[in-house]
Amino acid sequence: MSTSPKRHDVFQAIADPTRREILKLLAGRELAVTEVAEKFPISRTAVSKHLLILDEAGLVESRKTGREKRFTLKPEPLSELEQWLSYFEQFWQNKMSMLKHLAEKKEN
């Protein structure tokens, strides 16, 4: 189990599209760094750096098995993101209601 100090927050960690794809890849399964790296057109070293940032944000958990380091998704910290986004949902709901009203008005 990883005990890395938290140097990146969830928002920094998910800001990069490659890291978001890595999180999707790790959802529901454990993969070695090499298995993750096979899925991307970047070096294994680059993937390791992305995984380190995700680990520092608490979004993945790692364990060593022999010479291999394996990673799994740890989704709990994503609740921070969900809470932050839920505040803005009120604005989306307003915009959708206004759009529906305008569309219905044009039909009449």
CSV table of all heavy atoms in Angstrom, one decimal, residues 11-42:
chain,number,residue,atom,x,y,z
A,11,PHE,N,-7.8,17.8,-8.3
A,11,PHE,CA,-8.1,18.7,-9.5
A,11,PHE,C,-6.8,18.7,-10.4
A,11,PHE,O,-6.9,18.7,-11.6
A,11,PHE,CB,-8.5,20.1,-9.0
A,11,PHE,CG,-9.8,20.1,-8.3
A,11,PHE,CD1,-9.8,20.0,-6.9
A,11,PHE,CD2,-11.0,20.1,-9.0
A,11,PHE,CE1,-11.0,19.9,-6.2
A,11,PHE,CE2,-12.2,20.1,-8.3
A,11,PHE,CZ,-12.2,20.0,-6.9
A,12,GLN,N,-5.7,18.8,-9.8
A,12,GLN,CA,-4.4,18.8,-10.5
A,12,GLN,C,-4.2,17.5,-11.2
A,12,GLN,O,-3.8,17.4,-12.4
A,12,GLN,CB,-3.2,19.1,-9.6
A,12,GLN,CG,-3.2,20.5,-9.0
A,12,GLN,CD,-2.1,20.6,-7.9
A,12,GLN,OE1,-2.0,19.7,-7.1
A,12,GLN,NE2,-1.4,21.7,-7.9
A,13,ALA,N,-4.5,16.4,-10.5
A,13,ALA,CA,-4.3,15.1,-11.1
A,13,ALA,C,-5.2,14.8,-12.3
A,13,ALA,O,-4.7,14.2,-13.2
A,13,ALA,CB,-4.6,14.0,-10.0
A,14,ILE,N,-6.4,15.3,-12.3
A,14,ILE,CA,-7.3,14.9,-13.4
A,14,ILE,C,-7.2,16.0,-14.5
A,14,ILE,O,-7.9,15.8,-15.5
A,14,ILE,CB,-8.8,14.7,-13.0
A,14,ILE,CG1,-9.4,16.0,-12.4
A,14,ILE,CG2,-8.9,13.6,-12.0
A,14,ILE,CD1,-10.8,16.1,-12.5
A,15,ALA,N,-6.4,17.0,-14.3
A,15,ALA,CA,-6.3,18.1,-15.3
A,15,ALA,C,-5.7,17.6,-16.6
A,15,ALA,O,-6.0,18.1,-17.7
A,15,ALA,CB,-5.5,19.2,-14.8
A,16,ASP,N,-4.9,16.5,-16.5
A,16,ASP,CA,-4.3,16.0,-17.7
A,16,ASP,C,-5.1,14.9,-18.4
A,16,ASP,O,-5.5,13.9,-17.6
A,16,ASP,CB,-2.9,15.4,-17.3
A,16,ASP,CG,-2.1,15.0,-18.5
A,16,ASP,OD1,-2.3,13.8,-19.0
A,16,ASP,OD2,-1.3,15.8,-19.0
A,17,PRO,N,-5.4,14.9,-19.7
A,17,PRO,CA,-6.2,13.9,-20.3
A,17,PRO,C,-5.6,12.5,-20.2
A,17,PRO,O,-6.3,11.5,-20.1
A,17,PRO,CB,-6.3,14.4,-21.8
A,17,PRO,CG,-5.4,15.5,-21.9
A,17,PRO,CD,-5.0,16.0,-20.6
A,18,THR,N,-4.3,12.4,-20.2
A,18,THR,CA,-3.7,11.0,-20.1
A,18,THR,C,-4.0,10.4,-18.8
A,18,THR,O,-4.3,9.3,-18.6
A,18,THR,CB,-2.1,11.1,-20.3
A,18,THR,OG1,-1.9,11.6,-21.7
A,18,THR,CG2,-1.5,9.8,-20.2
A,19,ARG,N,-3.9,11.3,-17.7
A,19,ARG,CA,-4.2,10.7,-16.4
A,19,ARG,C,-5.7,10.3,-16.3
A,19,ARG,O,-6.0,9.4,-15.6
A,19,ARG,CB,-3.8,11.8,-15.3
A,19,ARG,CG,-2.3,11.9,-15.2
A,19,ARG,CD,-1.8,12.6,-14.0
A,19,ARG,NE,-2.1,14.0,-14.0
A,19,ARG,CZ,-1.2,14.9,-14.4
A,19,ARG,NH1,-0.1,14.6,-14.9
A,19,ARG,NH2,-1.6,16.2,-14.4
A,20,ARG,N,-6.5,11.1,-16.9
A,20,ARG,CA,-8.0,10.7,-16.9
A,20,ARG,C,-8.2,9.4,-17.6
A,20,ARG,O,-8.9,8.5,-17.1
A,20,ARG,CB,-8.8,11.8,-17.5
A,20,ARG,CG,-8.9,13.1,-16.7
A,20,ARG,CD,-9.9,14.0,-17.2
A,20,ARG,NE,-9.8,14.4,-18.6
A,20,ARG,CZ,-9.2,15.5,-19.0
A,20,ARG,NH1,-8.6,16.3,-18.2
A,20,ARG,NH2,-9.1,15.8,-20.3
A,21,GLU,N,-7.5,9.1,-18.6
A,21,GLU,CA,-7.6,7.8,-19.3
A,21,GLU,C,-7.0,6.7,-18.5
A,21,GLU,O,-7.5,5.6,-18.5
A,21,GLU,CB,-6.9,7.9,-20.7
A,21,GLU,CG,-7.6,8.7,-21.7
A,21,GLU,CD,-9.0,8.2,-22.0
A,21,GLU,OE1,-9.2,6.9,-22.2
A,21,GLU,OE2,-10.0,9.0,-22.0
A,22,ILE,N,-5.9,7.0,-17.8
A,22,ILE,CA,-5.3,6.0,-16.9
A,22,ILE,C,-6.3,5.6,-15.8
A,22,ILE,O,-6.5,4.4,-15.5
A,22,ILE,CB,-4.0,6.5,-16.3
A,22,ILE,CG1,-2.9,6.6,-17.4
A,22,ILE,CG2,-3.5,5.6,-15.2
A,22,ILE,CD1,-1.6,7.2,-17.0
A,23,LEU,N,-7.0,6.6,-15.3
A,23,LEU,CA,-8.0,6.3,-14.2
A,23,LEU,C,-9.1,5.4,-14.8
A,23,LEU,O,-9.5,4.4,-14.1
A,23,LEU,CB,-8.6,7.6,-13.7
A,23,LEU,CG,-7.7,8.4,-12.8
A,23,LEU,CD1,-8.4,9.7,-12.4
A,23,LEU,CD2,-7.2,7.7,-11.6
A,24,LYS,N,-9.5,5.7,-16.0
A,24,LYS,CA,-10.6,4.8,-16.6
A,24,LYS,C,-10.0,3.4,-16.8
A,24,LYS,O,-10.7,2.4,-16.6
A,24,LYS,CB,-11.0,5.4,-18.0
A,24,LYS,CG,-11.9,6.5,-18.0
A,24,LYS,CD,-12.3,6.9,-19.4
A,24,LYS,CE,-12.9,8.2,-19.5
A,24,LYS,NZ,-13.2,8.6,-20.9
A,25,LEU,N,-8.8,3.3,-17.3
A,25,LEU,CA,-8.2,2.0,-17.5
A,25,LEU,C,-8.1,1.2,-16.2
A,25,LEU,O,-8.2,0.0,-16.2
A,25,LEU,CB,-6.8,2.3,-18.1
A,25,LEU,CG,-6.0,1.1,-18.7
A,25,LEU,CD1,-6.8,0.5,-19.9
A,25,LEU,CD2,-4.6,1.6,-19.2
A,26,LEU,N,-7.8,1.8,-15.1
A,26,LEU,CA,-7.6,1.1,-13.8
A,26,LEU,C,-9.0,0.9,-13.1
A,26,LEU,O,-9.0,0.2,-12.1
A,26,LEU,CB,-6.7,2.0,-12.9
A,26,LEU,CG,-5.3,2.1,-13.4
A,26,LEU,CD1,-4.5,3.0,-12.5
A,26,LEU,CD2,-4.6,0.7,-13.4
A,27,ALA,N,-10.0,1.4,-13.6
A,27,ALA,CA,-11.4,1.2,-13.0
A,27,ALA,C,-11.7,-0.3,-13.0
A,27,ALA,O,-11.8,-0.9,-14.0
A,27,ALA,CB,-12.4,2.0,-13.7
A,28,GLY,N,-11.8,-0.9,-11.8
A,28,GLY,CA,-12.2,-2.3,-11.7
A,28,GLY,C,-11.2,-3.3,-11.9
A,28,GLY,O,-11.5,-4.5,-12.0
A,29,ARG,N,-9.9,-2.9,-12.1
A,29,ARG,CA,-8.8,-3.9,-12.3
A,29,ARG,C,-7.5,-3.3,-11.9
A,29,ARG,O,-7.3,-2.1,-11.8
A,29,ARG,CB,-8.8,-4.3,-13.8
A,29,ARG,CG,-8.5,-3.2,-14.8
A,29,ARG,CD,-8.5,-3.8,-16.2
A,29,ARG,NE,-8.8,-2.6,-17.1
A,29,ARG,CZ,-8.9,-2.8,-18.3
A,29,ARG,NH1,-8.7,-3.9,-18.9
A,29,ARG,NH2,-9.1,-1.7,-19.1
A,30,GLU,N,-6.6,-4.3,-11.6
A,30,GLU,CA,-5.3,-3.9,-11.2
A,30,GLU,C,-4.3,-4.2,-12.4
A,30,GLU,O,-4.4,-5.2,-13.0
A,30,GLU,CB,-4.9,-4.8,-10.0
A,30,GLU,CG,-3.5,-4.6,-9.5
A,30,GLU,CD,-3.1,-5.6,-8.4
A,30,GLU,OE1,-2.8,-6.7,-8.7
A,30,GLU,OE2,-3.1,-5.1,-7.2
A,31,LEU,N,-3.5,-3.2,-12.7
A,31,LEU,CA,-2.6,-3.4,-13.8
A,31,LEU,C,-1.1,-3.0,-13.4
A,31,LEU,O,-1.0,-2.1,-12.6
A,31,LEU,CB,-3.0,-2.5,-15.0
A,31,LEU,CG,-4.3,-2.8,-15.7
A,31,LEU,CD1,-4.6,-1.7,-16.7
A,31,LEU,CD2,-4.2,-4.2,-16.3
A,32,ALA,N,-0.2,-3.6,-14.0
A,32,ALA,CA,1.2,-3.3,-13.8
A,32,ALA,C,1.5,-2.0,-14.6
A,32,ALA,O,0.8,-1.8,-15.6
A,32,ALA,CB,2.1,-4.4,-14.2
A,33,VAL,N,2.6,-1.3,-14.3
A,33,VAL,CA,3.0,-0.1,-15.0
A,33,VAL,C,3.2,-0.5,-16.5
A,33,VAL,O,2.7,0.3,-17.4
A,33,VAL,CB,4.3,0.5,-14.5
A,33,VAL,CG1,4.8,1.6,-15.3
A,33,VAL,CG2,4.1,0.9,-13.0
A,34,THR,N,3.8,-1.6,-16.8
A,34,THR,CA,4.0,-2.0,-18.2
A,34,THR,C,2.7,-2.2,-19.0
A,34,THR,O,2.6,-1.8,-20.1
A,34,THR,CB,4.9,-3.2,-18.3
A,34,THR,OG1,4.3,-4.3,-17.5
A,34,THR,CG2,6.3,-3.0,-17.9
A,35,GLU,N,1.7,-2.8,-18.3
A,35,GLU,CA,0.4,-3.0,-18.9
A,35,GLU,C,-0.3,-1.7,-19.2
A,35,GLU,O,-0.9,-1.5,-20.2
A,35,GLU,CB,-0.5,-3.9,-18.0
A,35,GLU,CG,0.0,-5.3,-17.8
A,35,GLU,CD,-0.8,-6.0,-16.8
A,35,GLU,OE1,-0.8,-5.6,-15.6
A,35,GLU,OE2,-1.3,-7.1,-17.2
A,36,VAL,N,-0.2,-0.7,-18.3
A,36,VAL,CA,-0.7,0.6,-18.5
A,36,VAL,C,0.0,1.3,-19.7
A,36,VAL,O,-0.6,1.8,-20.6
A,36,VAL,CB,-0.7,1.5,-17.2
A,36,VAL,CG1,-1.1,2.9,-17.5
A,36,VAL,CG2,-1.5,0.9,-16.1
A,37,ALA,N,1.3,1.2,-19.7
A,37,ALA,CA,2.1,1.9,-20.7
A,37,ALA,C,1.8,1.4,-22.1
A,37,ALA,O,1.9,2.2,-23.1
A,37,ALA,CB,3.6,1.7,-20.4
A,38,GLU,N,1.5,0.1,-22.2
A,38,GLU,CA,1.2,-0.5,-23.5
A,38,GLU,C,0.0,0.2,-24.2
A,38,GLU,O,-0.2,0.2,-25.4
A,38,GLU,CB,0.8,-2.0,-23.4
A,38,GLU,CG,2.0,-2.8,-23.1
A,38,GLU,CD,1.6,-4.3,-22.7
A,38,GLU,OE1,0.4,-4.6,-22.7
A,38,GLU,OE2,2.5,-5.1,-22.5
A,39,LYS,N,-0.9,0.8,-23.4
A,39,LYS,CA,-2.1,1.5,-23.9
A,39,LYS,C,-1.9,2.9,-24.4
A,39,LYS,O,-2.8,3.5,-24.9
A,39,LYS,CB,-3.2,1.5,-22.9
A,39,LYS,CG,-3.4,0.1,-22.2
A,39,LYS,CD,-4.1,-0.8,-23.2
A,39,LYS,CE,-4.5,-2.1,-22.4
A,39,LYS,NZ,-4.9,-3.1,-23.3
A,40,PHE,N,-0.7,3.4,-24.2
A,40,PHE,CA,-0.4,4.8,-24.6
A,40,PHE,C,0.8,5.0,-25.5
A,40,PHE,O,1.7,4.2,-25.4
A,40,PHE,CB,-0.2,5.7,-23.3
A,40,PHE,CG,-1.4,5.7,-22.4
A,40,PHE,CD1,-1.6,4.7,-21.4
A,40,PHE,CD2,-2.5,6.6,-22.6
A,40,PHE,CE1,-2.7,4.7,-20.6
A,40,PHE,CE2,-3.6,6.6,-21.8
A,40,PHE,CZ,-3.7,5.7,-20.8
A,41,PRO,N,0.7,6.1,-26.3
A,41,PRO,CA,1.8,6.3,-27.2
A,41,PRO,C,3.0,7.1,-26.6
A,41,PRO,O,3.6,8.0,-27.2
A,41,PRO,CB,1.2,7.1,-28.4
A,41,PRO,CG,0.1,7.9,-27.7
A,41,PRO,CD,-0.4,7.0,-26.6
A,42,ILE,N,3.2,6.9,-25.3
A,42,ILE,CA,4.2,7.6,-24.6
A,42,ILE,C,5.1,6.6,-23.9
A,42,ILE,O,4.8,5.4,-23.8
A,42,ILE,CB,3.6,8.6,-23.5
A,42,ILE,CG1,2.7,7.9,-22.5
A,42,ILE,CG2,2.9,9.8,-24.2
A,42,ILE,CD1,2.1,8.8,-21.5
